[in-house]
Amino acid sequence: MRVTEQTPGRENGNPSLRETAASNALVPAQRLAPSPPSRMRRWWLWVIAGLLGLVLVAVASSQFWMPRPTPVSVEVVTLAPVTRVLAVNGRIAAVHSVGIRSTVGGALAALSVAEGDVVDAGQVLARIEADAQNAVVRQAMAALDASLIAQDEARQTYNRSLALGTNIARSVLETQARAVQTADQEVSRQTSVLTQAQIALRDHTIRAPMRGTVLVLEAEQGQIVDPATPLLTLADLSELMVEADVDEAYATQIGPDQRAVLQLAGETDLRDGHVSFVSRQVDVATGGLAVRIAFDDPVAAPVGLTVAANIIVDQRDEALTVPRTALKSDGDATGVYVVGDGAARFRPTTVVDWPAARLVVTSGLTEGDAVVIDAEGIAEGQAVSVEQP
């Protein structure tokens, strides 16, 4: 619309035409109506709401503020055959073995054997220098000869006096009789001296007391030896055994004739044996009890070889056993944890204390109990869940 321009000014207090035109020009402008949200925006809102719902459901189902059951592994105890074994290490030894020493002192004049030689009983092993002893023997022989001569003279004198009858005084006969008696005693004494000298001379020759093998040779020819000096070790290797020590804690449970399974070092085969000797005295220094184990069948092996021995102490056709890790001390009692109604319950249990991974139960459990295998960290009444194998 076009407005005609007129002279500005007011007439009779009325606005001018310019003012009237300006006021007519101030007409409110039209506003655009808001457009509806797009489909993409609505889709994102639904996605966000769904995610928030899933988070709320997960939080509610997890109940992280509540204590969760501890997963444990269990073992259902059942009756089964049980063999209780004591494992020890021993060494091969000869049943008959002897250390050879000289009973006299002197220089070792001859050594007739070497390590590994097989000798017969009575065979010469060594000789000790015997020149001095030979002289002693000769002196004893001379003294005996002199005493024999004196004995013969005393007897002849006495016999001549007896032949004279009453012509000899009784006192003379008694004196001659005592002379004969003294001569006889001197002969006996000198005979003993000679015998002792000869025995000492024989001791200078060392002979084998039995048939066997020279295991160790500890002396050399020319060496000065005495009764305290070891010369060699002789052993009969046709009959071997195992020597071992058992801890005193198990001393009362080891006895003769118990079966044993033996394995020699370097072998995979097992050999049968049995306990042949149990000492009646514990070594106070080591706390060990000496035990000997015999082989059921002859064996050829070097003396001193290490042998692993399993002594069968007890065999039961039916018994309950639990792993050693299942045991736990709770105050003054020792027992295991049995799972029931989702909780661990302490059950006082007695077992046969033995150096093994599994222990024989003597009281406290019944067949079918579910025992926690590892009791570490488990407490009475603790909520637990059984792990599936």
Side-chain angles (χ1 to χ4, degrees), residues 75 77-85 253 313-324 327 336 349-365:
E75 177 183 295
V77 293
T78 57
L79 291 170
V82 174
T83 299
R84 191 151 52 96
V85 174
Q253 302 186 57
V313 176
D314 184 22
Q315 283 185 311
R316 305 186 186 188
D317 295 333
E318 287 187 337
L320 299 177
T321 63
V322 294
R324 180 178 289 274
L327 287 178
V336 300
T349 308
T350 57
V351 297
V352 178
D353 190 9
W354 200 249
R358 299 191 66 85
L359 303 176
V360 178
V361 177
T362 55
S363 67
L365 293 178

Side-chain angles (χ1 to χ4, degrees), residues 102 104-111 127-129 217-226 228-231:
S102 173
V104 297
L108 190 58
L111 193 59
R127 294 183 187 277
I128 306 298
E129 179 62 50
L217 199 60
E218 301 183 67
E220 296 182 357
Q221 185 171 336
Q223 178 180 341
I224 303 299
V225 299
D226 56 36
T229 306
L231 301 180

Side-chain angles (χ1 to χ4, degrees), residues 201-281:
L201 180 61
R202 287 198 298 269
D203 288 343
H204 284 68
T205 300
I206 302 171
R207 299 180 181 273
M210 65 179 188
R211 176 178 173 81
T213 302
V214 178
L215 292 183
V216 181
L217 199 60
E218 301 183 67
E220 296 182 357
Q221 185 171 336
Q223 178 180 341
I224 303 299
V225 299
D226 56 36
T229 306
L231 301 180
L232 56 91
T233 301
L234 188 65
D236 181 5
L237 301 184
S238 63
E239 189 175 0
L240 300 178
M241 63 177 178
V242 177
E243 291 182 336
D245 281 340
V246 174
D247 191 276
E248 61 181 342
Y250 315 106
T252 58
Q253 302 186 57
I254 301 297
D257 298 327
Q258 288 178 339
R259 304 303 304 167
V261 179
L262 308 169
Q263 185 177 29
L264 277 61
E267 291 188 355
T268 57
D269 296 337
L270 300 179
R271 303 173 185 268
D272 295 328
H274 62 276
V275 177
S276 60
F277 169 79
V278 178
S279 176
R280 305 310 301 172
Q281 181 178 0

